[in-house]
């Protein structure tokens, strides 16, 4: 193979430009890529290299923070299909989304681009979005793989995280998407994972992603994430984006024998497969279809946190005052690479005026620039004295949260909080409507208002959707996809987020979000899965039936017990009452969103599989079901469990291998070691256990090989023999 040919191959595994791949012959056309987690950001012919200032108009759907709150995979799949339609119309073959990293901390600057603090919810919603996008012949690109959970020092920070937390929390959602939706592409992250850059991490990109999960698509880098192009290709990265012009390093690695040329051939073949998969034209929906889906998604995302009977606003005789610049100048998306140039934007002030048919007064109350304007606040407070109900639209301005930096705290801007206190003294009933991409503190002021509506960032149709909910035309059905803490200090990751000196320790391990709050019984402002409705629901008749080894069917009846139509999110949690390892008090293992008319009921069912009961055994690198009792919990949030049942599992029959350094306590659980244990007991002085019971615990925690030096008749040869026989036992594990 000639040097020139190697150079050509090396050029193919990097982009031709910021948004295009290199073309080579008739079977490898140039592919156009575009950002698009919640809408296309594709630049025009004269656009800037990043495509932010001059992207083409496209429908702006609700960002993932809002889609996560819908808890509705069917709806999210329709959003994905509409996104695919938008991409196809603009000639985009590869859509860079969904973003699906776990919300480890509420301070994460990019949390608005991510679904949830829980991998099951994240995985099911991302799977739905990928299916929808790819149904239109456009490649989805789940990102950022993996453990990219902060913006601080994001391009070089080294994430130190246990293998168990990786598998159970940070890789689990990606695994579900890969196995179930089969994405055609995937994007690696900037950060290091346990010392190795994600884009150059063979364990992540090859061993886990391809060998274990069966991923057969293309892996590209995040923009500028590659440190060593040759190491990246060797690790399984197929495409460096954008081109860094360092293809000579790949050539040198091949000619110098440090990189096998076949790795280049494999990457180029994956490019060809991606081109083939995106080549077939598909039927497309219209822009109007996409705008309707955006409206429906926004409506289902709105989450009612508090309501003292003031909502919905159905009485036309109520004197209504709208306060807050967000009502007139909506914040509907986040900042950074996902910013979309929308086709049209609705605001809630105009929507309320149009739908209510009455006079709706308005005062801006504050400026979005961050400058304190006392005159605006004074005018709003004066107007509130003549109102029956004040709708206070508060939130975080664009400059407060964005890609590129993490937030410093959870509080709303000081001028907004000062205005809210004054509005509460006006005598009017106060409803707060929030616009924010990450959770904000509500505990410090919630007792002073009559209702709280969490509006998140709702996309371009958010104004219409919010008005429909406030006026009772749509019953709120959003549920929290992340816990809202009482204090920042209560968050499980507080002491180690975002790290320092180029390193961040995931010290909370698997106790992320509600797993940490609920296990530690820490009070929260509003728990994971929480949300109110304009109606009420009754949970009835839990039934659990065995289906096979470590598998059960679960069903119950949900009844709309109120007088309005509405939607409820029924949540299924599994709790290990007894386990060989420390585990969260419970974990989400299923959910269903159900819409019912007044008095209507419906059966809701799930199938629990062995993986739903398993933990990751980090020592032996496998999923394992421990024997014991498991509680099956069905409820309306992680803190509102309505129905409980219990099942017993015999485990999966997999026994941890005995090792020379296994403790006596670990040996006591293995039948093959019984003769040695009997020998040891016989060698102990009579009455020793009664005389010094504390010694028993010390001995139980001692590696058995150490006991060979204690003079109790146990030899190293005996220990090695027992280990060999135990691990060769057909009822035990394979020899190690």
């Amino acid at each position: 193979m000639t040097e020139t040919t190697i150079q050509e191959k090396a050029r193919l595994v990097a982009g031709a430009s910021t948004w295009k791949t290199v073309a080579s012959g008739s079977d490898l056309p140039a592919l156009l890529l575009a950002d698009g987690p919640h809408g296309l950001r594709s630049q025009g012919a004269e656009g800037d290299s990043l495509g932010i200032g001059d992207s083409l108009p496209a429908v702006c759907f609700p960002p993932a923070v809002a889609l996560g709150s819908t808890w509705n995979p069917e709806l999210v799949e329709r959003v994905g299909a509409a996104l695919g339609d938008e991409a196809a119309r603009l000639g985009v073959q590869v859509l860079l989304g969904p973003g699906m990293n776990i919300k480890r901390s509420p301070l994460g600057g990019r949390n608005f681009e991510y679904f949830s603090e829980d991998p099951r919810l994240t995985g099911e919603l991302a799977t739905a979005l990928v299916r929808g996008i790819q149904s239109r012949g456009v490649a989805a690109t789940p990102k950022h793989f993996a453990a990219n959970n902060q913006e601080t020092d994001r391009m070089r920070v080294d994430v130190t995280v246990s293998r168990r937390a990786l598998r159970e929390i940070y890789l689990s959602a990606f695994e579900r998407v890969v196995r179930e939706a089969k994405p055609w592409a995937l994007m690696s992250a900037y950060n290091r994972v346990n010392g190795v850059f994600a884009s150059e991490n063979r364990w992540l990109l090859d061993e886990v992603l391809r060998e274990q999960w069966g991923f057969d698509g293309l892996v590209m880098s995040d923009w500028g994430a590659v440190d060593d192009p040759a190491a990246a290709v060797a690790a399984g990265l197929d495409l460096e984006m954008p081109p860094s012009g360092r293809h000579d390093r790949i050539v040198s690695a091949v000619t110098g024998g440090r990189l096998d040329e076949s790795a280049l051939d494999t990457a180029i073949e994956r490019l060809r497969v991606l081109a083939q998969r995106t080549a077939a034209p598909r039927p497309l929906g219209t822009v109007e279809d996409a705008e309707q889906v955006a409206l429906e998604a926004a409506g289902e995302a709105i989450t009612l946190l508090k309501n003292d009977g003031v909502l919905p606003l159905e009485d036309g005789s109520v004197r209504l005052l709208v306060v807050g610049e967000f009502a007139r100048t909506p914040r509907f998306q986040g900042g950074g690479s996902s910013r979309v140039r929308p086709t049209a934007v609705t605001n809630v002030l105009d929507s309320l005026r149009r739908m209510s048919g009455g006079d709706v007064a308005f005062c801006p109350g504050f400026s979005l620039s961050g400058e304190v304007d006392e005159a605006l606040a004074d005018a709003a407070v004066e107007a509130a004295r003549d109102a029956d109900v004040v709708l206070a639209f508060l939130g975080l301005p664009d400059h407060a949260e964005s890609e590129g930096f993490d937030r410093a705290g959870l509080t709303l801007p000081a001028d907004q909080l000062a205005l809210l206190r004054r509005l509460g003294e006006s005598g009017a009933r106060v409803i707060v409507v929030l616009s924010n991409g990450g959770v904000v503190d509500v505990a410090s002021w919630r007792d002073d208002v009559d209702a709280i509506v969490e509006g998140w960032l709702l996309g371009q149709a958010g104004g219409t959707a919010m008005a429909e909910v406030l006026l009772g035309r749509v019953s709120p059905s959003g549920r929290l996809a992340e816990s809202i803490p009482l204090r920042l200090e209560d968050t499980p990751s507080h002491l180690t987020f975002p790290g320092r000196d180029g390193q961040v320790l995931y010290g909370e391990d698997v106790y992320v979000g509600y797993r940490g709050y609920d296990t530690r019984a820490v009070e929260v402002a509003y728990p994971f899965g929480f949300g109110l409705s304009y109606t009420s629901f009754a949970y009835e008749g839990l039934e659990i039936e065995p289906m096979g080894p470590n598998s059960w069917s679960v069903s119950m009846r949900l009844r709309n017990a109120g007088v309005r139509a509405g939607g409820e999110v029924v949540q299924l949690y599994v709790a290990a009452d007894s386990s060989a390892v420390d585990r969260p008090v419970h974990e989400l293992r299923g959910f269903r969103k159900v819409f019912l008319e007044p008095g209507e009921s419906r059966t809701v069912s799930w199938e629990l599989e062995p993986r739903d009961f398993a933990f990751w055994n980090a020592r032996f690198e496998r999923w394992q079901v421990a024997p014991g009792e498991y509680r099956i919990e069905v409820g309306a949030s992680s803190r509102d469990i309505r129905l409980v049942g219990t099942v017993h599992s015999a485990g999966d029959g997999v026994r941890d291998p005995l090792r020379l350094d296994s403790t006596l306590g670990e040996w006591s659980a293995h039948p093959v070691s019984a003769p040695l244990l009997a020998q040891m007991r016989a060698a102990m002085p009579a009455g020793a256990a009664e005389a010094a019971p504390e010694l028993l615990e010390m001995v139980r925690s001692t590696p058995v090989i150490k006991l060979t030096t204690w003079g109790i008749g146990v030899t190293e040869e005996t220990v090695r023999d027992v280990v060999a026989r135990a691990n060769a036992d057909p009822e035990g594990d394979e020899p190690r």
Side-chain angles (χ1 to χ4, degrees), residues 52 222 262 281 308 315 393 438 488:
I52 295 176
D222 202 342
S262 64
D308 285 349
D315 187 351
F393 287 82
L488 179 61

Side-chain angles (χ1 to χ4, degrees), residues 11 15 22 28 57 65 70 135 180 241 337 349 420 513 581 594 604 642 725:
R11 286 190 175 94
V22 177
L28 190 55
V65 62
T70 71
S135 72
E180 296 187 3
M241 290 299 294
S337 63
L349 178 60
L420 180 60
V581 297
V594 183
V604 182
R642 308 284 183 89
R725 286 189 291 110

Side-chain angles (χ1 to χ4, degrees), residues 8 37 93 114 127 132 175 189 206 249 306 341 350 670 686:
E8 291 173 350
Q93 287 85 28
Y114 303 140
T127 292
E175 180 182 2
D206 197 26
R249 299 190 185 184
K306 178 179 179 178
R341 182 181 170 193
D350 290 344
H670 201 295

Side-chain angles (χ1 to χ4, degrees), residues 10 48 52 108 121 173 178 267 282 286 343-344 350 359 425 521 563 626 640 699:
D48 62 273
I52 295 176
L121 179 57
V178 167
R282 311 288 176 94
T286 66
T343 58
D350 290 344
D359 181 31
E425 297 168 355
V563 297
D640 184 8
V699 172

Side-chain angles (χ1 to χ4, degrees), residues 632-673:
I632 310 300
E633 303 175 342
V634 178
S637 79
S638 74
R639 297 277 177 102
D640 184 8
I641 302 302
R642 308 284 183 89
L643 303 171
V644 178
T646 304
V647 299
H648 177 79
S649 169
D652 54 15
V654 175
R655 186 182 296 118
D656 287 351
L658 287 187
R659 298 150 47 113
L660 296 180
D661 65 348
S662 294
T663 66
L664 186 62
E666 292 166 342
W667 276 49
S668 66
H670 201 295
V672 177
S673 61

Side-chain angles (χ1 to χ4, degrees), residues 544 554 572-574 608 613 630-634 643-645 647:
I544 305 172
V554 180
L572 174 69
Y573 296 85
V574 171
L608 290 172
F613 300 89
Y630 292 84
R631 278 179 291 116
I632 310 300
E633 303 175 342
V634 178
L643 303 171
V644 178
V647 299

Side-chain angles (χ1 to χ4, degrees), residues 11-84:
R11 286 190 175 94
L12 287 175
V13 297
S17 64
T18 305
W19 302 110
K20 284 188 176 180
T21 64
V22 177
S24 178
S26 60
D27 63 340
L28 190 55
L31 300 175
L32 179 61
L33 292 68
D35 275 312
H38 62 268
L40 265 289
R41 189 174 65 83
S42 184
Q43 67 180 48
E46 304 300 323
D48 62 273
S49 61
L50 292 179
I52 295 176
D54 193 27
S55 59
L56 298 173
V59 175
C60 181
F61 299 91
V65 62
L67 293 182
S69 294
T70 71
W71 290 65
N72 190 338
E74 292 77 13
L75 176 61
V76 172
E77 185 167 345
R78 291 173 56 210
V79 171
L83 272 169

Side-chain angles (χ1 to χ4, degrees), residues 291-304:
E291 291 174 338
Q292 178 60 34
V293 173
L295 174 61
E296 292 179 35
E300 286 201 31
I302 294 168
T303 307
L304 182 60

